Amino acid sequence: KNQVEQSPQSLIILEGKNCTLQCNYTVSPFSNLRWYKQDTGRGPVSLTIMTFSENTKSNGRYTATLDADTKQSSLHITASQLSDSASYICVVSSDFSGGYNKLIFGAGTRLAVHP
Amino acid sequence: EAQVTQNPRYLITVTGKKLTVTCSQNMNHEYMSWYRQDPGLGLRQIYYSMNVEVTDKGDVPEGYKVSRKEKRNFPLILESPSPNQTSLYFCASSLTPGLAGEWQYFGPGTRLTVL
């Protein structure tokens, strides 16, 4: 069964600290992996997209890594800010036939950054 | 400004009263999709549309209908809402469905409560 599992479920850190969120997937065939940020009450916003051949991608203070062999990804947030408080969702795109790629969503990690 | 809009943002209704949630995008995207988000679960796809007049079921289509008569609009119809359809709903669009390099844009969400 295609699944995306994220850990931890929730996390509290102090402003200025770094943190790493984990994503394990059992999706096949694999096309690409995305990380989204979702503020409370808002729609998800894309942070990064990585294909099979990419093992790291950055977007400002956000750095995503991908190990396609172990089917694991991580999202590292550097020097956290209060505005980083949000849910972070890992999404894996599966390459179905007929040109349609299905997106499989993880349940998300809820991050709270405290002053 | 490139965006996906949804209306209404909040809706409280009663069991059995038909309702429609509208979704519109201004990016000339071919692919549009509806998701529901429930606590502790990842976003689950309800229906998607590859182009005008082309729609198909997602993972949780029961109790919902959609139509795609114009490229920009993709309304979600609940013919006879039930309390288990109480959820947060998101419309999303992209140029193609989930291919690498293609960002998916989400609407702001519609919080629906069915009493």
Side-chain angles (χ1 to χ4, degrees):
Chain A
K1 181 181 177 183
N2 288 329
Q3 280 188 316
V4 176
E5 295 185 348
Q6 294 186 241
S7 61
Q9 195 170 12
S10 61
L11 182 62
I12 299 174
I13 62 173
L14 293 177
E15 187 178 11
K17 298 296 186 183
N18 304 335
C19 68
T20 300
L21 313 180
Q22 301 290 344
C23 173
N24 295 340
Y25 61 92
T26 56
V27 177
S28 181
F30 174 89
S31 176
N32 58 82
L33 185 144
R34 302 146 180 258
W35 282 94
Y36 287 86
K37 178 186 180 188
Q38 184 178 19
D39 293 316
T40 301
R42 307 282 294 271
V45 175
S46 299
L47 291 175
T48 63
I49 300 176
M50 289 183 291
T51 61
F52 185 88
S53 59
E54 297 173 297
N55 54 24
T56 186
K57 185 159 283 188
S58 293
N59 179 354
R61 293 180 296 102
Y62 301 101
T63 300
T65 64
L66 173 64
D67 186 333
D69 291 331
T70 61
K71 298 187 176 182
Q72 295 180 324
S73 176
S74 65
L75 180 69
H76 186 75
I77 304 174
T78 303
S80 61
Q81 300 176 358
L82 297 178
S83 60
D84 292 330
S85 295
S87 288
Y88 292 85
I89 303 172
C90 176
V91 184
V92 178
S93 175
S94 185
D95 187 8
F96 279 67
S97 61
Y100 171 61
N101 278 37
K102 183 178 178 63
L103 297 177
I104 298 110
F105 289 77
T109 292
R110 183 175 295 276
L111 174 66
V113 181
H114 289 183
Chain B
E1 178 189 357
Q3 61 182 353
V4 178
T5 57
Q6 294 179 228
N7 282 293
R9 293 289 314 281
Y10 303 90
L11 179 60
I12 300 174
T13 188
V14 295
T15 299
K17 186 176 181 181
K18 180 180 178 180
L19 65 93
T20 299
V21 184
T22 64
C23 172
S24 182
Q25 50 93 6
N26 63 359
M27 296 167 280
N28 203 36
H29 284 165
E30 294 190 350
Y31 179 79
M32 297 185 74
S33 182
W34 275 103
Y35 298 91
R36 62 177 290 173
Q37 187 176 36
D38 301 293
L41 300 178
L43 274 79
R44 292 180 292 168
Q45 190 178 53
I46 303 170
Y47 269 94
Y48 64 92
S49 170
M50 299 284 276
N51 212 325
V52 175
E53 301 293 1
V54 181
T55 64
D56 208 346
K57 296 177 180 179
D59 298 317
V60 288
E62 295 78 19
Y64 305 94
K65 286 176 57 177
V66 293
S67 69
R68 188 92 182 272
K69 293 184 170 56
E70 307 167 276
K71 199 170 190 178
R72 64 182 292 126
N73 296 322
F74 190 44
L76 178 69
I77 303 158
L78 284 73
E79 294 269 2
S80 183
S82 62
N84 65 10
Q85 293 178 297
T86 293
S87 187
L88 181 58
Y89 291 86
F90 289 101
C91 179
S93 76
S94 61
L95 196 57
T96 58
L99 293 180
E102 293 291 346
W103 295 108
Q104 190 170 43
Y105 294 83
F106 284 83
T110 294
R111 186 168 293 281
L112 172 65
T113 301
V114 183
L115 303 175

